[in-house]
Amino acid sequence: MMKWSLLLLSLWASGPSAWAGKAEFFSTGEGAIRGYDPVAYFTERRPVKGKEAFHLRYRGADWYFASAEHQNRFQQEPEKYAPQYGGYCAWAVSKGYTASTDPQAWTLHDGKLYLNYSLGVQQDWREDIPGNVTKADARWPKVLN
């Protein structure tokens, strides 16, 4: 119950835009993934904060990288490194809505990056990743409307 309450509170706090057409990628003032480097999840197996010097704009969001090498990798294959479901909480998308994410709550599965709202929600996500991916795939990108 607590997790649902937190997710609903997150949506409510986002204001009216949370209920109407949302951006393709979840982003804050810090950028996509709250300014964390999407490539680092794959290369370093941990979240790494990006740097202003290594920045690019992709599909309406600002992306930050820890190095020029990571920035170049992303530019060459953005679909490989960008988080699934636009960086919105994968578990929420599997349930039919969107929620913000915590860069510390992440999973690599079948070569793809999935983010979750919190470490607690991540535990629920990990209970059935293949099943949750199937549900989320069926609902993405319709949940943006």
Side-chain angles (χ1 to χ4, degrees), residues 10 12 35 52-53 60-61 73 84 90-91 94 103 110 115-116 119 132-133 144:
S10 170
W12 177 81
E52 184 71 36
R73 283 186 182 200
Q84 299 302 293
W91 188 83
S94 77
D110 287 342
L115 299 172
N116 294 115
L119 294 174
N132 288 325
V133 167
L144 293 177

Side-chain angles (χ1 to χ4, degrees), residues 19-97:
W19 304 103
K22 297 171 198 76
E24 180 180 5
F25 282 98
F26 171 72
S27 186
T28 66
E30 298 172 284
I33 317 178
R34 299 184 187 272
Y36 280 76
D37 178 344
V39 178
Y41 290 99
F42 295 87
T43 61
E44 299 186 35
R45 303 285 190 205
R46 66 184 179 92
V48 175
K49 194 77 166 166
K51 299 177 183 173
E52 184 71 36
F54 308 115
H55 162 262
L56 64 86
R57 190 137 177 94
Y58 172 72
R59 290 191 166 178
D62 292 309
W63 299 81
Y64 295 90
F65 305 90
S67 68
E69 177 190 346
H70 285 192
Q71 182 182 20
N72 290 334
R73 283 186 182 200
F74 187 88
Q75 280 183 299
Q76 295 299 314
E77 297 181 276
E79 297 298 323
K80 176 180 179 177
Y81 296 109
Q84 299 302 293
Y85 317 122
Y88 292 94
C89 175
W91 188 83
V93 173
S94 77
K95 301 299 180 192
Y97 60 96

